[in-house]
């Protein structure tokens, strides 16, 4: 499951395998949750580090 968080990250709930651009793989087991940066300001991409809140990131779009 991938869920958008208003003014924040993408909440991902496993099981999934996330592979970054270098080929590094992150396994996320069943019922485990990770937050993926959506604002581009995280120092720990692809994961959210809370920078969106400190920098006033705004995103509340809804799918249509
Ligand atoms: S969405 Fe949280 S740091 Fe980017």
């Amino acid at each position: 499951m991938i869920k958008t968080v208003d003014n924040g990250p993408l909440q991902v709930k496993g099981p999934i395998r996330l592979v970054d651009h270098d080929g590094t793989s992150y396994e996320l087991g069943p019922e485990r949750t990770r937050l993926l940066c959506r604002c581009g300001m995280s120092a720990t991409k692809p994961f959210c580090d809370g920078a969106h809140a400190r920098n006033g990131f705004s995103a509340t779009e809804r799918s249509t």
Side-chain angles (χ1 to χ4, degrees):
M1 178 193 74
I2 301 175
K3 178 181 178 183
T4 57
V5 176
D6 281 352
N7 305 317
L10 298 174
Q11 182 185 64
V12 179
K13 189 173 184 179
I16 66 157
R17 180 168 54 106
L18 171 69
V19 181
D20 72 11
H21 59 280
D22 291 327
T24 303
S25 180
Y26 303 89
E27 297 290 336
L28 188 58
E31 304 303 317
R32 294 277 323 273
T33 300
R34 294 297 295 260
L35 301 174
L36 300 180
C37 179
R38 186 162 65 124
C39 73
M41 295 180 269
S42 174
T44 60
K45 293 185 203 81
F47 303 108
C48 171
D49 71 353
H52 64 272
R54 295 188 295 276
N55 292 286
F57 176 65
S58 176
T60 57
E61 300 86 356
R62 299 293 187 259
S63 58
T64 56

